[in-house]
């Protein structure tokens, strides 16, 4: 064999080894690698992330055949606790997470956008010391038009016995989250998570039925050209936000991107930089997004990637909730771009 052929063979083999190594890095494996331990709590976290992955696969499977199956698209006719019309996919995905975590044994309580009260799984409670907070389908208005959707999740360790089923510990700041992330149902299904050791993405390989490592230690750029906000609300905003958007309009180098699903919009910002904002309005000063299962999990991801998330006055991860379904204004993304919005809110320019 010539030297050139030998080195070609070597590089092909190396490439195969590398891609094989990567194919073997599944989600649950990755969590254990991150924690560098097989302790019971590491095993728990790995099992929990594996269950999140299973929920994602079940939702993705149903979405992938949405136009072909009965009972997937459209509304149920009900209104949820937020006063929003419930879609059939919201209900399905909400039930998926319940079923998946009933069988985990590890989760005693679930709280979701679609349930007024915390859902207890009594058979898990004697040993299940974890709580799952989730938005089963984020951006559900995109469902019927075959556009991107997401699921958002956060895991917290239960504090106290919660004998009266008040779940007061869930109101603690987002810094108490031990894991958080999202699943993005786009052209491929992607899972992004953090356990406080950086941000990592996985792609669902349908032929393997596994989430396989895609990118480790994702870092958000310090600045990006994207601003992502529903400008249809322009005249409902406070003057400071209007001034910020006017600034963007007259400054070269900004592009608007808004999909109607914050998981997709924030994912773009995570990879390419920029800012996503959902400010309060004059009528709804707290805005639309829910703190505990929308803003706080995404804030944890973006902070772990080197970005920021704020209400405009304080870090999202420091906000103490007053109630389960509390809303909060959200400004999230690249450090520089978040700071720019903040300076309009705090100083008017
Ligand atoms: P959900 O579908 O869980 O209610 O969340 C939708 C959220 C968010 O994903 C999105 O960015 C925003 O609401 C869209 O709201 P507007 O239509 O008011 O812009
Ligand atoms: Mn949502
Ligand atoms: Mn939702």
């Amino acid at each position: 064999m010539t030297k050139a052929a030998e080195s070609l063979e070597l590089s092909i083999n190396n490439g195969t080894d590398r891609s094989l190594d990567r194919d073997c890095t599944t989600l649950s494996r990755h969590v254990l690698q991150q924690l560098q331990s097989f302790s019971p709590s590491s095993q728990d976290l790995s099992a929990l992330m594996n269950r999140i992955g299973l929920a994602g696969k079940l939702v993705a499977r149903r979405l992938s055949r949405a136009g072909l199956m009965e009972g997937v698209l459209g509304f149920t006719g009900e209104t949820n606790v937020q006063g929003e019309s419930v879609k059939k996919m919201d209900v399905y995905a909400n039930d998926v997470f319940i079923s998946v975590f009933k069988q985990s044994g590890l989760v005693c309580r679930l709280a979701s956008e679609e349930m007024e009260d915390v859902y207890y799984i009594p058979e898990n409670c004697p040993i299940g010391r974890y709580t799952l907070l989730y938005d089963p389908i984020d951006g559900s208005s995109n469902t019927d038009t075959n556009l991107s959707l997401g699921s958002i999740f956060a895991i917290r360790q239960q504090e106290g016995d919660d004998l009266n089923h008040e779940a007061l510990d869930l109101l603690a700041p987002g810094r108490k989250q031990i894991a958080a992330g999202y699943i993005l149902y786009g052209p491929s299904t992607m899972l992004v998570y953090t356990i406080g050791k950086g941000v990592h993405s996985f792609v669902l390989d349908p032929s393997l039925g596994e989430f396989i490592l895609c990118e480790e230690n994702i870092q958000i750029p310090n600045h990006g050209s994207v601003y992502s906000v529903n400008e249809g609300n322009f005249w409902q905003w406070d003057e400071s936000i209007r001034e910020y958007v006017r600034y963007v309009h007259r400054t070269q180098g900004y592009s608007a991107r808004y999909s109607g699903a914050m998981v997709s919009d924030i994912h773009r910002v995570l990879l390419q930089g920029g800012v996503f904002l959902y400010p309060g309005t004059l009528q709804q000063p707290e805005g639309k997004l829910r703190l505990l299962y929308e803003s706080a999990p995404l804030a944890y991801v973006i902070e772990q990637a080197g970005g920021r998330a704020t209400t405009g006055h304080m870090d999202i991860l420091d906000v103490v909730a007053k109630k389960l379904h509390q809303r909060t204004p959200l400004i999230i993304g690249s450090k520089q771009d978040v700071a720019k919005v903040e300076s309009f809110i705090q100083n008017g320019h």
Side-chain angles (χ1 to χ4, degrees):
M1 205 187 278
T2 63
K3 276 224 170 333
E6 251 173 47
S7 92
L8 180 65
E9 189 180 87
L10 198 68
S11 79
I12 290 171
N13 284 344
N14 280 345
T16 315
D17 285 353
R18 263 201 306 278
S19 75
L20 258 181
D21 277 352
R22 208 190 50 186
D23 279 359
C24 291
T25 309
T26 59
L27 188 54
S28 43
R29 172 82 227 148
H30 193 260
V31 175
L32 291 173
Q33 272 175 13
Q34 288 269 297
L35 295 168
Q36 295 185 338
S37 119
F38 287 96
S39 68
S41 63
S42 305
Q43 302 275 4
D44 284 358
L45 209 47
S46 164
L48 288 164
M49 283 307 305
N50 197 32
R51 298 311 276 185
I52 299 269
L54 175 59
K57 288 181 217 172
L58 285 160
V59 172
R61 182 177 70 173
R62 194 165 178 89
L63 286 174
S64 71
R65 291 182 288 162
L68 306 173
M69 285 166 69
E70 289 296 312
V72 180
L73 302 179
F75 293 97
T76 61
E78 308 282 307
T79 306
N80 68 12
V81 56
Q82 329 283 342
E84 296 158 353
S85 301
V86 178
K87 296 229 148 186
K88 291 176 187 164
M89 262 321 285
D90 290 322
V91 175
Y92 175 79
N94 192 59
D95 291 349
V96 160
F97 279 89
I98 294 175
S99 297
V100 159
F101 281 95
K102 256 190 187 156
Q103 292 167 11
S104 74
L106 294 165
V107 164
C108 159
R109 306 176 303 185
L110 295 101
S112 133
E113 177 187 329
E114 301 302 332
M115 299 187 289
E116 185 154 8
D117 299 316
V118 173
Y119 185 103
Y120 287 81
I121 308 174
E123 62 269 32
N124 289 354
C125 290
I127 48 152
R129 302 301 297 165
Y130 300 95
T131 303
L132 178 79
L133 293 127
Y134 66 112
D135 178 359
I137 295 286
D138 174 65
S140 59
S141 75
N142 284 1
T143 316
D144 293 349
T145 46
N146 192 27
L147 293 170
S148 285
L149 299 165
S151 298
I152 307 173
F153 62 88
I155 297 168
R156 293 185 182 218
Q157 194 124 35
Q158 185 172 327
E159 286 178 9
D161 289 330
D162 192 15
L163 292 175
N164 299 327
H165 285 195
E166 289 173 320
L168 292 176
D169 57 311
L170 294 184
L171 306 180
R175 306 229 176 257
K176 292 275 182 186
Q177 296 169 116
I178 57 172
Y182 55 83
I183 301 154
L184 170 60
Y185 311 101
S188 65
T189 299
M190 191 169 230
L191 190 152
V192 174
Y193 88 104
T194 184
I195 51 171
K197 293 174 181 292
V199 177
H200 319 287
S201 69
F202 290 72
V203 171
L204 177 61
D205 182 333
S207 65
L208 294 171
E210 288 275 12
F211 280 101
I212 301 296
L213 181 62
C214 169
E215 194 179 343
E216 262 182 319
N217 296 316
I218 300 172
Q219 286 291 311
I220 183 172
N222 260 332
H223 165 67
S225 60
V226 162
Y227 75 105
S228 189
V229 63
N230 184 345
E231 290 195 48
N233 294 332
F234 191 88
W235 291 106
Q236 325 306 322
W237 292 330
D238 185 77
E239 181 60 17
S240 59
I241 299 291
R242 293 205 290 254
E243 268 306 299
Y244 166 72
V245 169
R246 287 188 190 108
Y247 159 82
V248 166
H249 287 175
R250 63 173 184 265
T251 309
Q252 234 184 356
Y254 282 101
S255 278
R257 292 286 184 275
Y258 193 77
S259 74
M262 69 192 290
V263 166
S264 341
D265 290 325
I266 293 176
H267 186 65
R268 185 203 315 267
V269 164
L270 169 68
L271 299 184
Q272 300 177 349
V275 63
F276 172 95
L277 49 158
Y278 207 110
T281 59
L282 298 174
Q283 278 183 352
Q284 267 202 314
E286 300 301 307
K288 174 181 184 188
L289 302 175
R290 278 64 45 125
L291 174 63
L292 294 178
Y293 43 81
E294 291 186 313
S295 303
L298 294 167
Y300 192 24
V301 169
I302 293 293
E303 272 203 10
Q304 278 290 314
R308 287 199 48 220
T310 170
T311 63
H313 299 283
M314 69 189 289
D315 285 351
I316 290 285
L317 292 181
D318 290 327
V319 179
V320 181
K322 293 193 184 70
K323 55 180 186 185
L324 186 62
H325 296 290
Q326 177 157 328
R327 296 173 195 260
T328 172
L330 175 66
I331 298 141
I332 186 167
S334 298
K335 271 190 178 148
Q336 263 183 39
D337 301 305
V338 170
K340 192 77 200 169
V341 183
E342 257 175 346
S343 79
F344 275 89
I345 294 173
Q346 290 168 15
N347 317 317
H349 54 82

